[in-house]
């Protein structure tokens, strides 16, 4: 069965509990459940992970490289703007990579305008809230 990995970076475990005006009211569990159902309907297996630790996100990318995962949907959260290490890990992954941001990072502070991950991403979706994850998943599954 085709497999897709969804990775959520630091603080995204707080979704739905604070700053709903920026990040929406859905929890991460809500988002993951909807994505799992979308994948299941298409005959795909979806694995999702959230971590507040850079190394754990990198380990998950390495594991995906070795287990035949076809694509990664990733919201690296604040690591988007800082992590060459996550970029390097994604550069070692051969499948599709779609970067997602709930908020429109380009309408926010200047430090959010640069993304290391975008140097590897095949596509980037920002500002569409949780809908962005569904669109990213659709893009991964369409190309496999
Ligand atoms: O818009 C996005 O999805 C971001 O990746 C979210 C990151 C931010 O650092 C990026 O610039 C853009 C922050 C995630 C923090 O999530 C929270 C959710 C609820 C309450 C507090 C933080």
């Amino acid at each position: 069965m085709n497999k897709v990995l969804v990775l959520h970076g630091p603080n995204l475990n707080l979704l739905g509990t604070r700053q709903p005006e920026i990040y929406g009211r859905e929890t991460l569990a809500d988002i993951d459940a909807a994505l799992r159902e979308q994948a299941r309907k298409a005959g795909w297996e979806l694995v999702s992970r959230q971590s507040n630790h850079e190394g754990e996100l990198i380990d998950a990318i390495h594991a995906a490289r070795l287990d035949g995962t076809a694509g990664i949907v990733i919201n690296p959260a604040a690591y988007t703007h800082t992590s060459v290490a996550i970029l390097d890990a994604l550069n070692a992954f051969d499948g599709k990579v779609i970067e997602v941001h709930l908020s429109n990072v380009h309408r926010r502070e200047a430090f959010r305008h640069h993304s290391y991950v975008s140097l590897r991403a095949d596509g980037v979706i920002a500002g569409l809230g949780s809908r962005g994850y569904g669109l990213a998943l659709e893009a991964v599954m369409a190309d496999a």
Side-chain angles (χ1 to χ4, degrees):
M1 190 187 271
N2 279 327
K3 191 147 100 176
V4 55
L5 174 66
V6 178
L7 276 181
H8 308 283
N11 297 308
L12 288 167
N13 53 310
L14 300 177
L15 275 182
T17 66
R18 303 201 43 173
Q19 296 183 271
E21 67 288 358
I22 301 177
Y23 299 120
R25 293 190 183 279
E26 277 184 278
T27 66
L28 199 61
D30 294 333
I31 290 172
D32 280 344
L35 291 175
R36 212 172 306 113
E37 181 58 9
Q38 183 181 341
R40 190 194 62 75
K41 282 185 183 153
W44 281 59
E45 180 187 350
L46 182 140
V47 173
S48 69
R49 289 277 315 272
Q50 186 277 329
S51 180
N52 295 322
H53 305 278
E54 192 172 18
E56 285 186 5
L57 295 166
I58 291 164
D59 288 346
I61 295 166
H62 289 179
R65 196 171 77 84
L66 299 175
D67 74 3
T69 293
I72 298 176
V73 172
I74 181 167
N75 182 347
Y79 288 142
T80 306
H81 319 297
T82 65
S83 183
V84 176
I86 290 176
L87 169 64
D88 287 345
L90 289 169
N91 276 334
F93 175 76
D94 287 331
K96 200 99 184 156
V97 175
I98 310 290
E99 176 181 350
V100 174
H101 298 286
L102 292 154
S103 63
N104 180 356
V105 284
H106 300 289
R107 207 165 64 177
R108 301 181 65 189
E109 303 97 321
F111 68 83
R112 297 186 203 275
H113 298 176
H114 177 262
S115 165
Y116 284 101
V117 169
S118 292
L119 292 168
R120 165 61 180 87
D122 298 292
V124 181
I125 299 171
L128 300 182
S130 61
R131 183 173 292 130
Y133 285 100
L135 294 170
L137 177 57
E138 196 182 311
V140 166
M141 296 192 303
D143 281 355

